[in-house]
Amino acid sequence: MSVRVSSAKIALSTASVYPERTPDAFELAARLGYDGVEVMVGADPVSQDVDVLERLSDHYQLPILAIHAPCLLVTQRVWGKDPWAKLQRAQRAAERVGARTVVVHPPFRWQRDYARDFEVGLARMREETDVVFAVENMFPLKARGNEVVPYSPDWNPVDYDFPQVTLDLSHTAVSGTDALEMFTKLGDRLAHLHLADGVGVPNKDEHLVPGRGGQPCAPILERMAGNGYSGLVVLEINTRKAASRSERIDDLTEALAFARLHLAASTPA
């Protein structure tokens, strides 16, 4: 047997250190040996300021590998209200800091004009840049026994014409999706992985440390190593309940070790 180690870079999402802030994510990622960071653009003013992000990247000698556009309900007013303007700003930020990917969610149903033009608009933006727009799988909500889908055209991008997709393994837990089947269907459209875990509690996006839930985190990483996946693997875990900074660091260390271990796949010599 031989060991084939994936060339995929492993980044830390700045969301993984909340309630600490964006500068703390750079510090911890550099200290623990991550290959870079994914900046979640959110309420933290530092996450919105490209000048400051560049200085953090230079100071810690740590590349910004991806920008997560402000697509969440709680970030509807970050970088303005126009969703296309947000994506364009995320694209410019990515180009400036040298990030290869912008992560974007499907539109909310009430964003009717944006939703109607989403596929065509993304295709037009792709023609203008080398930045990859990777559309993330989300999840439906359960209400009184019914399933409510707040996204348009759908929470699941697999069956739509998106050349690049982000697979989030906490979201597959919430949606009850077979993550391995989704991984297989995506094939080379898979450009980005949000590595986290979940046990599948309805309406609860857990983002557990990989290995602490029921998602096939290890098999997916091992298949990535086996098929030469060269996209990004981003640890996007929830450490907000950590009792101390030391406990948060332990979680981030464990998550990185899990990813590195399973991205080294044993193959026949």
Side-chain angles (χ1 to χ4, degrees):
M1 300 291 289
S2 63
V3 175
R4 180 175 182 178
V5 179
S6 172
S7 62
K9 293 185 181 297
I10 303 173
L12 179 66
S13 169
T14 57
S16 296
V17 305
Y18 183 84
E20 295 191 60
R21 302 177 65 192
T22 303
D24 302 301
F26 277 84
E27 180 228 325
L28 291 175
R31 185 200 302 187
L32 299 178
Y34 282 81
D35 297 320
V37 298
E38 173 177 299
V39 174
M40 171 74 82
V41 179
D44 180 359
V46 171
S47 73
Q48 305 171 28
D49 191 322
V50 180
D51 289 334
V52 178
L53 292 174
E54 282 192 311
R55 290 200 292 272
L56 285 169
S57 179
D58 290 342
H59 177 75
Y60 288 105
Q61 292 296 291
L62 196 68
I64 299 170
L65 298 174
I67 300 288
H68 194 310
C71 306
L72 302 172
L73 277 174
V74 295
T75 59
Q76 288 300 290
R77 295 180 181 274
V78 173
W79 283 356
K81 297 180 182 178
D82 181 350
W84 285 118
K86 290 173 184 277
L87 279 191
Q88 290 163 356
R89 191 162 175 178
Q91 174 190 324
R92 291 195 297 271
E95 290 170 341
R96 183 166 160 188
V97 302
R100 61 175 290 179
T101 306
V102 168
V103 178
V104 57
H105 293 178
F108 291 111
R109 285 196 172 277
W110 57 83
Q111 297 173 310
R112 294 182 180 177
D113 293 341
Y114 179 49
R116 184 184 62 245
D117 299 331
F118 187 59
E119 292 182 70
V120 173
L122 273 188
R124 183 170 57 248
M125 291 182 71
R126 285 195 301 270
E127 293 175 355
E128 301 169 354
T129 182
D130 291 330
V131 172
V132 168
F133 296 93
V135 182
E136 185 171 0
N137 63 300
M138 298 306 291
F139 49 87
L141 302 174
K142 301 288 196 313
R144 298 179 181 178
N146 297 316
E147 188 172 275
V148 178
V149 179
Y151 302 100
S152 179
D154 197 6
W155 60 267
N156 185 351
V158 171
D159 294 328
Y160 293 88
D161 188 23
F162 302 123
Q164 289 90 22
V165 172
T166 295
L167 176 60
D168 186 301
L169 297 180
S170 179
H171 296 174
T172 56
V174 188
S175 64
T177 305
D178 184 327
L180 277 171
E181 180 181 355
M182 183 178 283
F183 171 83
T184 301
K185 284 184 175 179
L186 284 172
D188 59 11
R189 296 169 60 205
L190 178 60
H192 203 76
L193 179 72
H194 277 166
L195 181 60
D197 214 332
V199 298
V201 179
N203 300 338
K204 187 173 182 181
D205 190 12
E206 298 167 286
H207 286 275
L208 303 178
V209 172
R212 297 185 186 176
Q215 293 304 289
C217 299
I220 283 177
L221 291 171
E222 289 161 6
R223 292 188 186 193
M224 285 178 161
N227 67 19
Y229 173 79
S230 59
L232 288 176
V233 173
V234 178
L235 271 303
E236 191 182 71
I237 63 173
N238 183 349
T239 66
R240 70 186 65 187
K241 292 183 179 180
S244 64
R245 192 169 209 246
S246 177
E247 186 174 310
R248 174 170 295 112
I249 290 170
D250 288 346
D251 285 348
L252 298 176
T253 302
E254 179 182 332
L256 177 59
F258 183 100
R260 293 220 185 278
L261 173 64
H262 293 287
L263 278 174
S266 296
T267 56

